[in-house]
Structures are given as C-alpha cells and as structure tokens.
C-alpha cells in the first residue's frame, strides 16, 4: 500500500483523484511487447484481464505505474517487472484516524495456476487478482515465503511535480531552503515531523491447509539452503556472513534514556544493557523468535546448469570448430606428405654380394669369395690370423706367408 497526498483535482484517464493509495502486486516475467503507455489505460489484450474491483467508482486501475525494467549484468539477467495496481479514493481523515487494512493471499495449488490476492479497507473489498489473470506472461501468484514490511518511505518519483516546473532544476528537496520550494509538492513540508502509528499486526492461516505454511524457509521452498548456496548475493563488500547476529545492547550511552529508559534497559558503565526479551543496541526492539523454526529437510541444493551469455557460447563454439578443423587438416596433410615421400623417392638399388667361404690348407686361413651381382669380376680374399689378404695380389700374399714362417 502506498499513499498519495496532494490537492484535489482531476487526474488523466482515471476517475480517482488525490488523495488516494495504491494496492499493487509486482510480478515477473512481465509483458515485454506493446506495453501500456504511462498515464493511459491499456489496450485490450495487452494487459492483465479479469481483474476485480469492489466499487469501480472509488477503486480503479492505476495508469501511473505499470512496472519497470530491472537492469542487471550480464544483460541476460535483465527482466521486465510488471506492477498490477489499483488506486482507491480516500480523504484527509485517513491520515488522522486509525484504519484497518487487510490483504488476503492464497498461494496456488501445486501444479495449477489458481490462487489469488485481495485487498480490503475497513473490511470493504477493494481489488483482487486471480492466478488465471497471469496467464498472459506465464507468471503466477507467489508460493514462496514472504515477510511483512511497514515503513515510511519518501521519494521524489512519487507525488512530486512532473514535469519539473519552468525555472526550477528540481535538484534540491530541502524543506528549510527557499530555493527548493519549486521542486516540492504543495504543503509537502507541513507533513514533517511525521509519525507512522501501527496498533497491531495479525497474520492468520487456514487450518489444515497444506498450501498455507509457516516460516521463512519451508520444505518446498528451502530459502535458507538457497542463501547458503548464494551467500554473495546477500552480502555487501564488508560482510563476512550474509546474516548477522541480533545485537542485544552495547550502544554507547550517557543515561538510561539512551537505552529506552529503565523500562527497557539501563546505561551501565557507558554502555546499554537490555532487559530480558528486548534487543537492539539501544534496547528499542523486542527480541523476536520463530515458534516454528525451519527444519533442514534436504542436505543438497540442486544447481541448474551454468548459464552463459549467448554471445559467449557462440564464440566458444566457433573457436572449437576452428581448432578441430585445423587439427584434422594438419593430420591429413602429414599423412599425405609421408606416403608421397616413400612412393616418389628413387633410391639406388645395390645388389647384395654373394659370399662363399671354404677352408684352406692353412689351419687358420679361410677363403672368402665375394661375387658382385651383375658385375664382371669376382674378388677372392683370404683371412689368415684375422687378417684379410687379397689373393689376386701376389705381393701381399707373399709378404704375409713370409711373416708366418
């Protein structure tokens, strides 16, 4: 729920006037083509259909916010988030008196796209979204654990002059600076100091309904296990762990009032010390607990395949194909060159000589006849005491025989 104050006056393409508040459901994936034009009603078939309005005269589709494109790196992680929103007419009394706001959330049945979200004001039905209305994008009513957030938020994109008035640069938003008046809504600074008072917060769940589970991490949606597997997503640069322990006292103090007063704690030796059941460094919070603590039903976390950018995958494929092609051509060329060398080289062929050995009359002499094939001459040698003698050379033979005598 987001409140929009301001002066009364007709707004474009809606029966709702200021002040009003918005009931919104932000969902992804969103409509990526033919999106509605800001401050105009969407065209039939290009937005979520079947939306329910309790009283069309006081609650109508919000044409001032249809969602945003959430940009992330790498580019493949960027996605369109839609805001399915309705504005409800209110008056100034809603800012000064207590009112009861209610949200009914029924998660879808496993395997189906049912479920719903409905908003109520003082038990009066305002706006509803059924699971079937989300079929246009394939999204669904949430079924994962949620938490409640109640705060006072101020942003220059919500309720401030658009477009920026002539002669104003809209870069200054200080209430006590006259140069900033042109960038601020009329009566904006009269709202400060502001108080956001909450009487009670109650959460109800259907009895014996398996879809309505309690806790921030369930068996079907083990959030704590997912966080363990992706701790860096939940940490800043200076964090050692994603979830820090709850601080109980420890703030520097000068008096008991700095620690919430004696009803909450006390200032002991310059530091706050909290009473039992209280927490925070200054003892200003109640110590919360989970009466249905999460049980670790599984010990493993299934991780999907590594998702790489499409351009990077294409580059790897091209490089791999080029490498394999080059390698294959190199192997083929080497085989071809080797085979060609053996076939085309004309080496001279020498006939093998025929060697004949026979015993001579000398006890230690063998006669060797070496006949050259295809040759006209046969050469005869004698081996005497390990020395080879050409028998066709009388000089060498006679000198050898003389040495043996």
């Amino acid at each position: 729920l987001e409140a929009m104050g301001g002066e009364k006056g007709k707004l474009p393409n809606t029966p709702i006037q200021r002040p009003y508040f918005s009931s919104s459901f932000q969902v992804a994936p969103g409509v990526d083509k033919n999106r509605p034009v800001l401050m105009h009603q969407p065209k039939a078939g290009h937005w979520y259909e079947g939306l329910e309005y309790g009283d069309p005269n006081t609650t109508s589709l919000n044409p001032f916010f249809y969602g945003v494109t959430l940009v992330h790196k790498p580019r493949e992680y960027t996605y369109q988030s839609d805001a399915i929103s309705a504005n409800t007419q209110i008056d100034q009394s809603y800012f000064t008196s207590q009112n009861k706001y209610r949200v009914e959330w029924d998660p879808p049945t496993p395997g189906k796209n049912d479920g719903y979200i409905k908003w109520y004001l003082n038990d009066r039905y305002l706006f509803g979204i059924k699971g079937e209305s989300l079929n246009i994008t394939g999204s669904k009513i949430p079924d994962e654990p949620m938490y409640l957030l109640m705060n006072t938020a101020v942003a220059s994109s919500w309720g401030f002059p658009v477009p920026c008035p002539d002669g104003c640069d809209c870069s200054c938003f200080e209430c006590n600076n006259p140069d900033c008046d042109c960038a601020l809504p009329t009566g904006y600074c009269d709202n400060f100091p502001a108080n956001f008072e909450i009487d009670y917060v109650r959460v109800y769940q259907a009895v014996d309904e398996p879809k309505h589970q309690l806790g921030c991490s369930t068996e079907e949606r083990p959030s704590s296990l997912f966080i363990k597997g992706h701790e860096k997503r939940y940490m800043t640069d200076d964090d050692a762990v994603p979830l820090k322990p709850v601080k109980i006292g420890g703030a520097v103090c000068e008096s008991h009032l700095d620690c919430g007063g004696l009803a909450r704690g006390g200032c002991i030796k310059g530091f706050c010390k909290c009473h039992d059941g209280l927490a925070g460094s200054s003892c200003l919070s109640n110590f919360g607990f989970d009466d249905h603590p999460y049980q670790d039903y599984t010990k493993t976390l299934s991780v999907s395949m590594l998702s790489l950018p499409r351009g990077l995958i294409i580059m790897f494929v091209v490089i791999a194909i080029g490498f394999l092609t080059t390698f294959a051509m190199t192997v083929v060329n080497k085989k071809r060159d080797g085979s060609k060398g053996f076939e085309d080289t004309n080496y001279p062929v020498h006939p093998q000589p025929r060697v004949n050995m026979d015993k001579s009359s000398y006890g230690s002499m063998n006669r060797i006849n070496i006949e050259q094939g295809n040759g006209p001459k046969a050469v005869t040698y004698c081996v005497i005491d390990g020395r080879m003698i050409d028998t066709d050379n009388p000089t060498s033979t006679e000198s050898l025989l003389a040495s043996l005598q």
Side-chain angles (χ1 to χ4, degrees), residues 20-249:
Y20 62 82
F21 73 85
S22 299
S23 308
S24 304
F25 169 50
Q26 299 195 35
V27 62
V31 176
D32 57 353
K33 296 180 180 179
N34 299 317
R35 294 183 56 78
V37 178
L38 202 63
M39 293 191 294
H40 292 78
Q41 292 291 326
K43 296 180 180 180
H46 296 292
W47 197 242
Y48 302 88
E49 299 181 348
L51 305 179
E52 298 179 347
Y53 303 94
D55 185 352
N57 295 318
T58 57
T59 299
S60 179
L61 180 72
N62 179 8
F64 308 119
F65 184 55
Y66 289 113
V68 295
T69 300
L70 299 175
V71 179
H72 296 278
K73 294 182 179 180
R75 186 176 59 182
E76 284 74 12
Y77 290 174
T78 297
Y79 64 93
Q80 177 65 47
S81 174
D82 285 344
I84 310 174
S85 178
N87 294 333
T88 298
Q89 183 87 50
I90 55 177
D91 55 40
Q92 292 299 328
S93 66
Y94 285 86
F95 294 90
T96 58
S97 61
Q98 290 282 345
N99 296 275
K100 184 169 63 175
Y101 301 89
R102 182 170 105 227
V103 177
E104 288 187 3
W105 165 36
D106 185 42
T109 305
K112 297 183 179 181
N113 197 18
D114 51 6
Y116 61 83
I117 301 177
K118 297 180 179 181
W119 287 264
Y120 295 81
L121 171 61
N122 296 327
D123 296 324
R124 178 168 56 92
Y125 179 46
L126 301 179
F127 177 50
I129 303 171
K130 294 182 178 180
E132 293 83 356
S133 299
L134 306 179
N135 290 334
I136 186 175
T137 61
S139 55
K140 65 178 183 178
I141 300 295
D143 58 358
E144 63 266 23
M146 297 284 183
Y147 61 88
L148 299 176
L149 176 63
M150 288 151 284
N151 70 327
T152 300
V154 178
S156 59
S157 59
W158 183 255
F160 281 61
V162 177
C164 186
D166 294 337
C168 183
D169 60 5
C170 291
S171 61
C172 172
F173 303 101
E174 298 178 19
C175 284
N176 296 325
N177 188 343
D179 295 335
C180 304
D181 290 344
C182 61
L184 298 174
T186 303
Y188 171 77
C189 295
D190 296 337
N191 294 308
F192 300 102
N195 296 309
F196 182 22
E197 299 178 355
I198 301 174
D199 186 18
Y200 61 87
V201 177
R202 297 172 182 171
V203 178
Y204 299 89
Q205 290 182 286
V207 179
D208 299 328
E209 172 53 71
K211 296 189 300 181
H212 296 187
Q213 300 188 33
L214 185 63
C216 61
S217 187
T218 63
E219 183 175 4
E220 290 75 16
R221 297 285 187 172
S223 303
S224 62
L225 189 61
F226 183 87
I227 294 174
K228 290 179 181 178
H230 305 81
E231 289 186 343
K232 292 296 183 180
R233 298 187 183 184
Y234 303 90
M235 297 166 55
T236 62
D237 294 337
D238 298 330
D239 289 339
V241 292
L243 186 61
K244 299 178 181 178
V246 176
K247 290 185 178 180
I248 302 178

Side-chain angles (χ1 to χ4, degrees), residues 76 307-317:
E76 284 74 12
S307 177
L308 296 176
R310 182 177 300 177
L312 189 60
I313 294 176
I314 294 175
M315 183 181 69
F316 283 155
V317 171

Side-chain angles (χ1 to χ4, degrees), residues 2-20:
E2 297 174 300
M4 170 67 76
E7 299 177 347
K8 292 183 178 181
K10 183 175 177 57
L11 298 175
N13 298 308
T14 178
I16 308 303
Q17 298 184 16
R18 287 188 294 257
Y20 62 82

